[in-house]
Amino acid sequence: MLNLETVARSGTEASVTQSTKSTGHKLTRVQKKLLNIRVWCIVTKIHCFDTFSAIFDKIHNIRRENLCNTDTEVFSFLKAVGENAAPLPDNSVTIQYVSKLHDDNKMGKFELKRPGPEDRIHLLKYADILSTMPKDMLITIMIALFTESKLLFLDKTLSSLTCTLHALTSLLHPLSWEGVYIPMLSVGVRAQVRELVLSPAPYVIGMLKDDYSKVREHELKDTSVLVIDLTKKRMSDLRDDEAIHLTISEASKKDLKSKLREVKQKNDQLKQCEVWGGFIDSFLSYVKDLTSDTATRNGFREINLEAYTEKVKSNREGDENFAAQVMSTQMSQMWLQKQRISLSRSN
């Protein structure tokens, strides 16, 4: 089913030691800490995100429940997964592996399920975003994503955390997240946590709540980040006032809430793609309207940001600042480039 590769400490340490001998440099404190990290890597052509999340959740539980020889049991589990044939979509297979928690004559068991259609939209069915967070919270998160803010997500389990992050970023379509994206940041690289959260680039980072509680309070000061606790359904907005107040009009919020309420009532999570796709498409359509009579220069049609903002204001008053920020993001720049459109600003 899977081509599994495991990288243990001994192999990493040998590689790093050999490298330092050849260069004459000593290991840094951060490098020594990294040597204590076990890396379990799954290499496969099968696109089943939630299946792999369940596998890594199981590894997390094995390491938490066993105080010794955890690597041996993890390897036994991964070896058993790799030796089994891949189940058909919407089917499951029972994996048996050697477990220290059972008697010598008993094997550990794990049910591995493979989802049906394997595309970005399918993630929404498993994430069930509207049940995990209020509509106002979801709208705030999506506005922050569309404007490329810095977001830090917290959850209790790896699978729910990473699945939620993948589902949320999939809702940006036809835009695509271009910033730093780390669905699960381990506290094992704690030396880099503050460096990451202070990054000037936009990011989406996920952390387990147990790991987040170990991060010192000062490591998150002055980080200008929106912290989302998916377990408690709460947000802590550490961004500056300009970012906090950069939002959409009340009319647009009301329209989004109405459509999201309808999606929840019909229990059709996949319809969220249509809701958010229609929302961002309404702003992108104004770009296309402005280019209809624009001459092509060097293969690109040029529009002016101020003209675009005025067009949005005349049609959706109160959304113009949000629209201007969206057009300034790296996501939109990539989208414009694909459309062969360039954006200019008045002097």
Side-chain angles (χ1 to χ4, degrees):
M1 172 188 174
L2 304 170
N3 174 21
L4 302 175
E5 294 183 4
T6 58
V7 184
R9 178 187 176 189
S10 57
T12 308
E13 187 170 3
S15 175
V16 175
T17 303
Q18 184 177 2
S19 175
T20 54
K21 283 182 179 179
S22 62
T23 59
H25 297 295
K26 293 183 178 180
L27 290 174
T28 65
R29 182 166 57 88
V30 173
Q31 287 174 324
K32 289 179 180 178
K33 284 186 176 181
L34 290 175
L35 291 180
N36 292 318
I37 301 173
R38 300 308 199 262
V39 179
W40 303 99
C41 177
I42 294 178
V43 181
T44 178
K45 293 182 179 180
I46 299 175
H47 302 285
C48 305
F49 168 76
D50 54 322
T51 301
F52 305 139
S53 292
I55 291 173
F56 284 121
D57 260 351
K58 180 63 178 178
I59 293 173
H60 179 71
N61 290 334
I62 291 174
R63 293 180 62 82
R64 185 176 57 186
E65 294 169 357
N66 293 277
L67 299 178
C68 59
N69 296 325
T70 55
D71 288 343
T72 302
E73 183 164 345
V74 169
F75 183 78
S76 171
F77 169 67
L78 287 175
K79 188 172 182 292
V81 171
E83 290 174 348
N84 274 270
L88 295 174
D90 273 333
N91 283 271
S92 60
V93 61
T94 300
I95 306 295
Q96 293 189 338
Y97 63 99
V98 177
S99 173
K100 300 293 182 182
L101 296 179
H102 296 81
D103 297 333
D104 293 338
N105 296 329
K106 291 186 178 180
M107 301 285 284
K109 292 184 179 181
F110 175 73
E111 185 178 8
L112 187 66
K113 185 173 182 180
R114 179 177 174 181
E118 297 158 351
D119 55 22
R120 63 176 186 85
I121 297 175
H122 192 66
L123 288 169
L124 294 169
K125 182 178 179 181
Y126 292 89
D128 198 7
I129 296 174
L130 287 175
S131 296
T132 57
M133 63 183 73
K135 290 185 288 294
D136 283 325
M137 183 175 173
L138 175 58
I139 291 173
T140 299
I141 291 171
M142 291 305 301
I143 296 304
L145 285 171
F146 279 122
T147 55
E148 288 189 345
S149 291
K150 302 174 185 178
L151 297 95
L152 177 62
F153 291 84
L154 313 174
D155 208 343
K156 285 185 176 180
T157 62
L158 175 61
S159 58
S160 61
L161 173 65
T162 51
C163 192
T164 299
L165 265 61
H166 278 289
L168 286 170
T169 51
S170 75
L171 293 174
L172 296 171
H173 185 77
L175 303 180
S176 179
W177 184 258
E178 299 289 341
V180 176
Y181 184 62
I182 308 176
M184 212 295 282
L185 176 64
S186 172
V187 79
V189 288
R190 180 172 164 179
Q192 298 178 7
V193 170
R194 180 162 174 79
E195 183 179 339
L196 281 168
V197 296
L198 283 175
S199 168
Y203 58 73
V204 172
I205 295 177
M207 287 185 73
L208 293 177
K209 291 196 70 174
D210 288 345
D211 287 348
Y212 180 74
S213 64
K214 298 173 185 176
V215 177
R216 294 171 186 163
E217 186 177 343
H218 75 268
E219 291 176 350
L220 292 174
K221 285 185 178 179
D222 306 319
T223 53
S224 187
V225 59
L226 177 61
V227 182
I228 302 103
D229 188 329
L230 296 171
T231 304
K232 293 185 177 181
K233 301 179 182 179
R234 294 179 184 174
M235 295 186 296
S236 177
D237 205 334
L238 306 178
R239 298 176 295 170
D240 55 38
D241 291 339
E242 183 179 356
I244 292 174
H245 293 104
L246 181 61
T247 185
I248 55 178
S249 65
E250 288 301 319
S252 293
K253 284 184 181 178
K254 185 177 180 181
D255 182 55
L256 277 173
K257 286 181 183 178
S258 175
K259 291 177 179 177
L260 291 172
R261 189 181 302 111
E262 184 178 350
V263 169
K264 188 172 184 180
Q265 287 174 349
K266 292 183 178 180
N267 195 26
D268 189 354
Q269 296 293 327
L270 305 186
K271 287 290 184 182
Q272 280 195 77
C273 286
E274 296 179 12
V275 173
W276 291 107
F279 169 75
I280 196 61
D281 276 340
S282 64
F283 291 98
L284 299 179
S285 64
Y286 297 132
V287 173
K288 296 177 179 178
D289 291 343
L290 288 172
T291 59
S292 59
D293 299 323
T294 304
T296 301
R297 181 183 300 177
N298 297 325
F300 281 80
R301 292 166 293 168
E302 185 177 285
I303 65 168
N304 182 272
L305 179 60
E306 284 71 19
Y308 168 76
T309 305
E310 285 299 318
K311 187 170 183 64
V312 173
K313 185 177 181 180
S314 63
N315 289 274
R316 305 179 57 153
E317 188 172 0
D319 289 338
E320 60 272 11
N321 292 334
F322 166 77
Q325 182 60 34
V326 169
M327 281 298 112
S328 300
T329 62
Q330 192 175 357
M331 291 187 296
S332 291
Q333 293 302 312
M334 294 299 292
W335 179 83
L336 288 167
Q337 189 173 0
K338 290 178 182 178
Q339 307 298 316
R340 308 294 291 177
I341 299 172
S342 63
L343 190 68
S344 65
R345 291 172 171 80
S346 299
N347 294 330

